[in-house]
Amino acid sequence: MSPTPQIIVVAPEGRLDDARQLCGDIEVTVVAGGATRQQSVAAGLAVLAADVNVVLVHDCARAFTPTRQLESVEAEVRRTGHGVVPGLPVVNTIKQTDAAGRVIRNVDRSDLVAVQTPQGFPRDPLVAAYASATEDFTDDAALFAAAGNEVMVIEGDPLGFKITRPSDLRRAEYETGLPTSVTGLGVDVHAYDESRPLWLGGLHWPDEPGLAGHSDGDAISHAVCDALLSAAGLGDLGSCFGTSDPRFADAHGEVFIAETVALVTAAGYTVSNVAVQLIGNRPKVGARRIELEGRLSALVGAPVRVGATTSDGLGFTGRGEGVSAIATALLHRA
C-alpha cells in the first residue's frame, strides 16, 4: 500500500453531501465529477496526495468487487510498472453485425476478455496520459495505452460484475447472499378506552372511543413501526421505544413513525411500501381511507395502503373490546 492511502470519491456536483454521508466515518476526499468518465477521473487525479504513487480507478457500480482484487491489481502495478486491469474470459459467442442487425462474421473470443475494475496505474504516467489526451476514451486503460504505455490483464473475479439493471440487483442478491429487498411484519393490539380520544393512522377520529396504552394507542401507526423495524432487523417497538421512556408517554403515532423511519434509514434502507389491515368493529375506515393513506404515506415517505375488516363477532375484536392492526413492509437497501 502507498505510505498514505487516500480514497477519493468523485460524485455528481449536486450529490457531494450525499456522497460524504454514505462514506460515514471513513476518511475520504469528495470532489465533483464532470460530464464524462474521463472528466470525472481527471477531477479525482487533480486532488491526489503528493505521496501517492499507485492509482486504482474503480467503478462504484461494481459494489461487490472483493478486496483481494484491489490488492492483486496494486501488487501487479508495483511489480511491473505497467497499467493493470482485471478481466474475465468471454464465454458467449460474439458476432459482429451491421447497422441493420445482419451478422457479418463471428469474432474469435479466445483473444477477448471482459474488463473489470479497479484499473491500476503508476501515478506519473497516468497523470501525464490524462494531461495529453485529445479524445474521449471509454476507460482509463485505453487512454493510458494511447499515450504509449503498456497495459496488462490479470485474472478478474465474477463478483466484480457491474450493477446497471434491475436484473443485476437480483444477481447481487443471489451471488452475495445479501438481499437487496427485505420484508417485515408488525402486529399491534389495543383495548378501547372510552375516556380517551381515538387516534389511528396519525388521524384524530372524533366521536369514537379511544384506545388504551402508554402512548396514544395508535394501533395502525404502531403496527407500521413494528413492520419497518422487523424488515430492517432492528427489533420491535417495545425494544426501541419502551414504555419506561418518558419521552413517549402519550406520544402520537407520528412521533413513533418519524423515529422508526430515521432508524431504518440510518441502517441503510429505504421504504418501498407498507400495507396495513385494521381488524375491529369501529371506527369505519372506508369514508376516510384516502385521507388515512395519504397521512401515513406522508409520514413514512412511501406508499401506504390501508384495509379494514371485522372478525364476524369472534374474539375480542368481534365483541367490540378493541382493535388489532397487522402491517407488512417492503424495504430496499439504499
Side-chain angles (χ1 to χ4, degrees), residues 6 8 10 31-32 39-48:
Q6 181 185 17
I8 300 170
V10 183
V31 298
Q39 292 174 5
S40 295
V41 174
L45 293 176
V47 294
L48 280 175

Side-chain angles (χ1 to χ4, degrees), residues 25-79:
D25 295 331
I26 300 172
E27 186 174 343
V28 298
T29 302
V30 180
V31 298
T36 66
R37 175 196 175 93
Q38 193 162 313
Q39 292 174 5
S40 295
V41 174
L45 293 176
V47 294
L48 280 175
D51 59 352
V52 172
N53 48 37
V54 171
V55 178
L56 304 185
V57 183
H58 186 55
D59 294 333
C60 65
R62 299 181 187 274
F64 296 102
T65 299
T67 302
R68 61 180 176 270
Q69 183 153 303
L70 281 74
E71 293 171 341
S72 296
V73 170
E74 183 202 6
E76 194 66 10
V77 172
R78 294 191 183 281
R79 188 185 74 83

Side-chain angles (χ1 to χ4, degrees), residues 19-331:
R20 293 186 185 97
Q21 183 177 3
L22 287 172
C23 292
D25 295 331
I26 300 172
E27 186 174 343
V28 298
T29 302
V30 180
V31 298
T36 66
R37 175 196 175 93
Q38 193 162 313
Q39 292 174 5
S40 295
V41 174
L45 293 176
V47 294
L48 280 175
D51 59 352
V52 172
N53 48 37
V54 171
V55 178
L56 304 185
V57 183
H58 186 55
D59 294 333
C60 65
R62 299 181 187 274
F64 296 102
T65 299
T67 302
R68 61 180 176 270
Q69 183 153 303
L70 281 74
E71 293 171 341
S72 296
V73 170
E74 183 202 6
E76 194 66 10
V77 172
R78 294 191 183 281
R79 188 185 74 83
T80 64
H82 300 315
V84 176
V85 297
L88 295 173
V90 176
V91 296
N92 295 319
T93 296
I94 304 298
K95 296 182 183 293
Q96 182 181 359
T97 63
D98 62 16
R102 291 184 292 266
V103 173
I104 299 174
R105 64 182 181 91
N106 270 23
V107 178
D108 182 5
R109 68 185 181 195
S110 63
D111 295 329
L112 302 178
V113 292
V115 172
Q116 300 176 313
T117 66
Q119 299 186 355
F121 311 91
R123 177 203 181 129
D124 290 341
L126 179 64
V127 171
Y130 263 86
S132 63
T134 57
E135 59 180 294
D136 196 63
F137 293 87
T138 58
D139 75 346
D140 312 287
L143 183 151
F144 191 75
N149 301 297
E150 187 170 341
V151 177
M152 302 176 58
V153 175
I154 64 171
E155 183 179 0
D157 192 293
L159 282 176
F161 63 93
K162 197 172 186 178
I163 300 176
T164 55
R165 301 180 180 88
S167 60
D168 298 322
L169 285 174
R170 291 191 290 272
R171 179 185 174 187
E173 223 176 294
Y174 175 79
E175 294 269 9
T176 65
L178 296 173
T180 56
S181 59
V182 290
T183 59
L185 177 68
V187 178
D188 197 56
V189 177
H190 282 276
Y192 289 123
D193 182 344
E194 297 281 352
S195 68
R196 305 185 71 185
L198 177 62
W199 287 87
L200 271 178
L203 297 180
H204 178 229
W205 300 73
D207 303 320
E208 293 283 357
L211 295 170
H214 173 65
S215 60
D216 65 355
D218 188 338
I220 289 180
S221 294
H222 298 172
V224 168
C225 291
D226 267 339
L228 294 171
L229 293 169
S230 168
L234 297 174
D236 53 40
L237 201 65
S239 61
C240 292
F241 317 107
T243 56
S244 61
D245 192 334
R247 294 179 303 160
F248 301 108
D250 297 321
H252 288 308
E254 64 190 57
V255 174
F256 292 99
I257 292 179
E259 294 283 343
T260 298
V261 171
L263 290 173
V264 166
T265 302
Y269 293 95
T270 59
V271 184
S272 179
N273 62 71
V274 177
V276 188
Q277 185 79 10
L278 180 69
I279 305 169
N281 297 339
R282 301 175 66 179
K284 301 301 182 183
V285 169
R288 300 186 70 183
R289 188 190 311 275
I290 293 176
E291 180 187 6
L292 184 59
E293 291 180 340
R295 174 62 172 159
L296 287 168
S297 297
L299 293 174
V300 172
V304 178
R305 299 293 175 255
V306 181
T309 188
T310 67
S311 54
D312 290 333
L314 300 176
F316 80 95
T317 56
R319 293 191 298 271
E321 298 172 4
V323 298
S324 176
I326 303 172
T328 59
L330 175 64
L331 311 183

